[in-house]
Amino acid sequence: MDDVGVLKKETMICTPLMGQSVEQMVRDMHKAKVEGADLVEVRLDYINNFHPQQDLEIILRNKPLPVMIVYRPKWEGGQYEGDEHSRLEALHLAEKLGADYIDFELKVASDFLGKQKMDQHSSSRTIVSCYVDGVTPPIEDLICRVALLQSTGADMIKLVINATNITEITKIFHLLSHCQMPLIAYSIGDRGFMSQILCRKFGGFLVYGSMEGSPVAGLPTLESLREAYKVQYINKDTKVFGLISKPVGHSKGPILHNPAFRHVNYNGIYVPMLVDDLKEFFSIYSSPDFAGFSVGIPYKEAVTGFCDELHPLAQSIGAVNTIMRRPSDGKLIGYNTDCEASITAIEDALRERGLPNGEAPLNSPLTGKQFVLVGAGGAGRALAFGARSRGAQLVIFDLDFDRANSLAHAVSGEVKLYEDVANFQPEKGAILANATPVGMHPNTDRIPVAEETLSDYQLVFDSVYTPRKTRLLKEAEAAGAIIVSGVEMFLRQAIGQFNLFTGGEAPEEFMREIILSKF
């Protein structure tokens, strides 16, 4: 591990400003500085009734941090639809008034730079940019575009794509790794998120982040860049871990794993990975740099087919939530930390309430209990095998009856039709576990069972952890049941993952403190 904890000062964090008035731009510049930006990208094409001389003077006179001026035309993905000569004149004016950076398009590079050379007193640094609309071209084509950008003689170059698949982001990493001059390169959109977080690892020097209350698709927030990801400390040796899921926006993994990495001085970064195709993903992301993965909805079962080896527990469950790339040969090894995480969370909650079910303390309080499981996917399978190993009697519901039936057969349980779950009458003192996304943000008003049956359950567990206390748990608590949040399972499985990721011991108390403060 090289330079762990050493701040890379040349990494700058930029936030785009798209205020519709000059006054809003000035307010946003000051807000961006407070939130941790190193510079701002001022989009003149978003200002209503823009008056170049007057408005630029106000912006640049009141700037609390360096400013990059952008005046993007419609033909390059911007808002400006006016006269091209007037647009370029406004950029030249910004240069004369002391803008720190001027961004202009490849198409007008010769015109803009030709006029700039006549002004020997300019202190502005020039950035020539290219936005690749539509399908991302092959890497050879992108390399040619970068060479063309370099040939203009600008101080810096910028290339922006719109990735439709996370596998296209590796092209950005290749360009950053091989460019011999300052390059800003990233993808917009949800699948481009990783291009911001990891740009420093591959040689980039500028990361974009959005301000609080002004979200931009594909951009992390300024707060997350500074606090969770701490991109200033990423270097070429940083190991990459990530959550393979779809959707992925709900994940709290980054705000737990990244501070924990820093706490034990481990040079790693954990990022969300919105994956559309597992086969394509694993074929592209085969580098040792990508050292391990968490696996979420809906891939916990399907991903077993892409592992070279499975840990015995993961093999028996038929679901994987953690993958490690073995350093010696690069093979992918699948593990399951969900099983023990969920079952021990339930057992501990029962024991804390002094309800050992009549057994000796060493026995599981689940022994002999009816365990009603809603959901037979990856999380459901982990719960089912864990409950069965403790001697519980399972009743399983799932929208896919065949999937539920297969799981019931594997754990000697009973299968029921999903539409019957609303009317199912459990045994008194049974356990209910929800292993479906029902109740997850943003659809937080739904519960998977009938409210009137909740009073019959001794304990209700919900694998959903956004929100922390789901409607199911609120209703169950009101009915007198012990409740266990998915947050507790999330923490425990994350501790197991952290141990696998780092080969060390997770800082459990530190991680629990994060859970209490952030969730």
Side-chain angles (χ1 to χ4, degrees):
M1 292 180 288
D2 178 53
D3 292 338
V4 178
V6 177
L7 177 63
K8 298 296 184 179
K9 291 184 178 178
E10 61 267 33
T11 302
M12 294 193 294
I13 297 179
C14 178
T15 193
L17 303 184
M18 292 164 279
Q20 296 184 346
S21 69
V22 175
E23 294 75 20
Q24 184 65 51
M25 285 292 192
V26 171
R27 286 195 298 270
D28 286 349
M29 284 193 294
H30 286 270
K31 183 182 177 188
K33 183 177 182 180
V34 170
E35 292 187 22
D38 296 311
L39 72 157
V40 290
E41 179 182 282
V42 173
R43 291 290 300 268
L44 302 181
D45 47 307
Y46 278 83
I47 299 175
N48 293 327
N49 302 313
F50 176 60
H51 297 94
Q53 183 75 43
Q54 173 185 322
D55 294 347
L56 280 169
E57 283 185 359
I58 294 172
I59 291 170
L60 296 172
R61 189 171 61 242
N62 291 281
K63 67 184 180 76
L65 71 182
V67 168
M68 180 194 302
I69 293 293
V70 180
Y71 202 7
R72 195 73 75 215
K74 203 83 171 178
W75 50 262
E76 190 78 344
Q79 303 293 310
Y80 181 78
E81 296 184 272
D83 173 64
E84 190 65 7
H85 176 74
S86 299
R87 186 178 75 88
L88 293 179
E89 284 298 309
L91 289 174
H92 284 297
L93 179 59
E95 184 182 13
K96 289 177 182 176
L97 292 172
D100 301 274
Y101 302 90
I102 306 291
D103 176 311
F104 54 93
E105 300 73 32
L106 177 61
K107 185 177 176 181
V108 299
S110 59
D111 291 342
F112 185 88
L113 289 170
K115 186 166 183 179
Q116 188 208 32
K117 285 177 182 176
M118 292 187 287
D119 181 6
Q120 300 297 319
H121 304 292
S122 173
S123 61
S124 300
R125 301 190 72 186
T126 54
I127 303 172
V128 61
S129 62
C130 176
Y131 171 59
V132 182
D133 196 12
V135 177
T136 303
I139 185 62
E140 294 77 14
D141 291 5
L142 293 177
I143 291 171
C144 289
R145 294 201 192 202
V146 167
L148 198 57
L149 290 167
Q150 286 178 297
S151 69
T152 62
D155 298 311
M156 304 176 185
I157 59 177
K158 181 196 286 186
L159 182 75
V160 182
I161 66 170
N162 187 1
T164 57
N165 192 306
I166 195 172
T167 54
E168 296 168 16
I169 303 302
T170 55
K171 298 173 183 178
I172 293 292
F173 298 152
H174 178 88
L175 296 173
L176 288 170
S177 300
H178 292 83
C179 191
Q180 299 303 307
M181 69 177 293
L183 168 64
I184 302 165
Y186 61 90
S187 171
I188 61 173
D190 292 334
R191 285 158 182 79
F193 188 91
M194 194 166 65
S195 68
Q196 299 293 346
I197 304 299
L198 299 184
C199 96
R200 176 63 193 147
K201 174 176 172 62
F202 295 98
F205 72 98
L206 190 70
V207 181
Y208 279 85
S210 62
M211 289 194 304
E212 183 182 353
S214 304
V216 179
L219 292 193
T221 63
L222 289 172
E223 181 187 22
S224 71
L225 287 172
R226 292 291 189 193
E227 299 301 321
Y229 295 106
K230 289 193 180 292
V231 291
Q232 310 96 302
Y233 297 93
I234 296 173
N235 59 45
K236 61 183 176 60
D237 297 315
T238 302
K239 292 295 183 185
V240 180
F241 303 89
L243 171 65
I244 297 170
S245 188
K246 186 180 180 181
V248 77
H250 67 284
S251 173
K252 303 293 187 184
I255 65 174
L256 182 61
H257 281 295
N258 288 313
F261 285 152
R262 299 287 309 164
H263 187 74
V264 301
N265 203 35
Y266 182 81
N267 191 5
I269 188 77
Y270 185 96
V271 295
M273 298 173 171
L274 180 56
V275 173
D276 298 288
D277 185 297
L278 287 173
K279 183 177 181 180
E280 192 177 359
F281 176 83
F282 285 116
S283 68
I284 296 295
Y285 287 95
S286 57
S287 160
D289 283 325
F290 293 85
F293 309 95
S294 304
V295 184
I297 296 170
Y299 296 131
K300 292 187 180 187
E301 293 169 273
V303 81
T304 59
F306 298 94
C307 294
D308 298 298
E309 296 176 18
L310 294 175
H311 181 272
L313 178 61
Q315 186 157 15
S316 65
I317 294 171
V320 160
N321 79 316
T322 311
I323 296 174
M324 286 301 298
R325 189 183 306 281
R326 192 159 55 202
S328 60
D329 57 12
K331 288 190 174 181
L332 299 176
I333 317 300
Y335 299 86
N336 192 301
T337 67
D338 280 339
C339 180
E340 283 302 300
S342 55
I343 292 302
T344 58
I346 292 170
E347 287 178 319
D348 288 351
L350 287 169
R351 290 188 177 113
E352 284 170 17
R353 287 286 285 265
L355 300 168
N357 201 31
E359 289 86 16
L362 293 177
N363 288 353
S364 172
L366 292 175
T367 303
K369 280 194 173 294
Q370 186 181 61
F371 195 100
V372 179
L373 176 64
V374 184
R381 292 187 70 86
L383 278 157
F385 277 86
R388 178 59 183 163
S389 73
R390 296 336 196 245
Q393 305 300 312
L394 280 115
V395 180
I396 301 171
F397 297 86
D398 192 272
L399 275 170
D400 185 334
F401 182 81
D402 290 338
R403 182 163 74 166
N405 192 42
S406 173
L407 178 56
H409 179 73
V411 295
S412 304
E414 183 182 356
V415 64
K416 298 280 188 181
L417 293 170
Y418 187 78
E419 49 266 34
D420 293 340
V421 69
N423 301 314
F424 179 73
Q425 190 62 46
E427 294 176 3
K428 201 72 176 172
I431 306 297
L432 172 65
N434 174 41
T436 74
V438 172
M440 181 187 289
H441 180 81
N443 303 309
T444 57
D445 60 335
R446 300 171 60 207
I447 64 172
V449 297
E451 289 177 39
E452 54 268 24
T453 65
L454 291 175
S455 60
D456 292 321
Y457 291 102
Q458 183 180 0
L459 180 145
V460 174
F461 167 82
D462 198 340
S463 64
V464 172
Y465 65 83
T466 50
R468 179 173 188 148
K469 186 178 279 190
T470 59
R471 184 186 163 198
L472 172 63
L473 294 182
K474 289 177 182 177
E475 301 285 357
E477 188 174 45
I482 302 167
I483 61 170
V484 179
S485 168
V487 171
E488 185 62 33
M489 172 187 170
F490 172 74
L491 171 63
R492 294 180 186 219
Q493 64 81 31
I495 288 170
Q497 287 185 335
F498 189 95
N499 295 339
L500 289 167
F501 288 163
T502 64
E505 286 295 318
E508 295 189 20
E509 286 307 310
F510 177 78
M511 293 173 79
R512 188 170 291 279
E513 287 172 11
I514 294 174
I515 289 285
L516 292 174
S517 64
K518 299 287 188 182
F519 281 62

